[in-house]
Amino acid sequence: MMGSMGRLLDGQAVAAAIRADVLPGVAEFTSGAGRPPGLGIVLVGDNPASEIYVRNKVRSGTESGVWVDLQRLPATASIDDLLAVVNRLNISERHDGILVQAPLPEAMGRHAAQRVFDTIDPDKDVDGFHPANVGRLVQGRAHLAPCTPSGVIELLDRSDIPIARRYAVIIGRSDIVGKPMAMLLLQRDATVTICHSRTADLPEVASRADILVAAIGRAGFVTRDFVKPGAAVIDVGINRVSDRATAVSLFGPSSPRLADFDRRGSVVAGDVHPEVAGIAGALTPVPGGVGPLTIAMLLKNTLAAASARRGGR
Ligand code: GUN
């Protein structure tokens, strides 16, 4: 099996296609409403990864004709400060979608994110994290589904990878990715298993998957022994590696990625070890895989929320 390379799934290209599909809807909404769809993004503190994600969300939204209103709060803000911003966006006429970037500063407390998601108007909840939207997703009648897992479904569909009747294994049980990913795959008639850090015989379970989704947040965790030859492997991980030995073990001593590390002092790695490329039938790269899809789906959800608020569907 070594030496043969699985197909690389181009998240960048699929994201561009989704954005192109959204564009006419944005134009139609804008001429009908006399204003563009509006998206409020709230960023608390200065988490470096969140800074980059939010910058990309602002840029991509703006380029697609969405009005993006970035609200920043200092890392010292209280949960009440944050809830006040959310409540203001909830009642605003111009904001159709609201997104509060996670994670929140630890000082806000362990349940801060859930309190925030509980407060966002479900009709403006473009992340799909409000319990009403989670419930609708579980019942198979979501209006707004979480962006990363719905982006993965779009990627599979647009890459002609069948879902129905396939066995899907998800590693990771987060509310943001793992759990909603399971629901979306289930709705498409996959047979689904959710694994996590305490799953027994994890490689054995994973290696039965036709579709393997890695969303655990540990660089290179998914090695060859987790993967059935020919499986579609979706790497949701975006991990910053700043230890050189780890970078060498992931990318080898003479790779361009290691040269990146030596230039910058760190490198981004997925949850899937690069050696899996030799065994997977299809694989998403990191970066350039799932990341761009999340943002494209955010724009799609923003347009859907805006249209629904104007009395559309
Ligand atoms: N942090 C990581 N992924 C996400 C996401 O999809 N939405 C929000 N709000 N925060 C995130």
Side-chain angles (χ1 to χ4, degrees):
M1 256 5 235
M2 240 348 225
S4 68
M5 276 281 282
R7 171 163 66 123
L8 268 191
L9 300 175
D10 189 346
Q12 207 81 256
V14 170
I18 296 168
R19 288 196 304 268
D21 286 351
V22 169
L23 225 47
V26 170
E28 192 184 324
F29 177 92
T30 304
S31 64
R35 64 166 182 86
L39 171 64
I41 298 180
V42 186
L43 176 57
V44 186
D46 40 29
N47 178 304
S50 292
E51 293 273 356
I52 294 169
Y53 302 149
V54 166
R55 190 200 306 148
N56 289 335
K57 289 173 182 179
V58 171
R59 189 204 303 129
S60 185
T62 304
E63 283 173 5
S64 299
V66 171
W67 174 62
V68 184
D69 175 31
L70 175 59
Q71 303 266 338
R72 300 197 62 138
L73 288 175
T76 53
S78 68
I79 179 81
D80 289 331
D81 295 335
L82 175 53
L83 293 178
V85 172
V86 170
N87 280 315
R88 189 157 49 73
L89 300 181
N90 276 347
I91 60 176
S92 161
E93 266 313 307
R94 292 154 67 216
H95 295 81
D96 301 289
I98 302 170
L99 177 153
V100 177
Q101 185 69 27
L104 294 171
E106 271 174 33
M108 275 199 180
R110 212 154 53 82
H111 302 292
Q114 198 58 65
R115 279 189 69 190
V116 168
F117 301 145
D118 287 354
T119 303
I120 293 172
D121 178 345
D123 293 335
K124 297 188 177 187
D125 173 32
V126 287
D127 267 324
F129 295 162
H130 188 283
N133 288 322
V134 175
R136 288 189 189 114
L137 177 66
V138 172
Q139 293 179 336
R141 54 189 187 117
H143 300 289
L144 297 165
C147 301
T148 299
S150 46
V152 170
I153 297 288
E154 290 274 348
L155 179 66
L156 294 170
D157 282 346
R158 293 178 191 240
S159 307
D160 296 315
I161 294 172
I163 300 174
R165 305 180 58 83
R166 310 309 290 282
Y167 182 44
V169 173
I170 300 154
I171 310 179
R173 54 174 154 182
S174 71
D175 291 338
I176 292 183
V177 181
K179 289 184 209 169
M181 186 79 257
M183 289 301 127
L184 290 173
L185 288 165
L186 187 60
Q187 262 147 45
R188 295 290 303 276
D189 300 322
T191 299
V192 181
T193 295
I194 306 179
C195 301
H196 48 79
S197 55
R198 304 188 64 181
T199 295
D201 299 326
L202 181 49
E204 196 274 320
V205 178
S207 63
R208 279 187 265 142
D210 304 304
I211 299 169
L212 180 62
V213 180
I216 35 199
R218 291 174 61 178
F221 181 79
V222 173
T223 46
R224 292 177 62 86
D225 50 324
F226 286 65
V227 180
K228 178 165 79 176
V233 180
I234 308 298
D235 190 351
V236 180
I238 304 179
N239 309 291
R240 186 155 293 282
V241 173
S242 44
D243 169 58
R244 193 172 193 279
T246 305
V248 172
S249 77
L250 287 171
F251 301 114
S254 57
S255 71
R257 301 298 301 282
L258 194 68
D260 285 348
F261 180 96
D262 287 333
R263 223 172 308 117
R264 293 175 208 162
S266 72
V267 70
V268 169
D271 290 348
V272 176
H273 195 289
E275 70 183 16
V276 167
I279 182 167
L283 175 64
T284 61
V286 175
V290 172
L293 292 167
T294 298
I295 299 182
M297 296 311 287
L298 171 64
L299 303 180
K300 191 169 174 177
N301 277 354
T302 300
L303 175 61
S307 304
R309 287 186 68 238
R310 283 201 81 231
R313 196 176 43 87

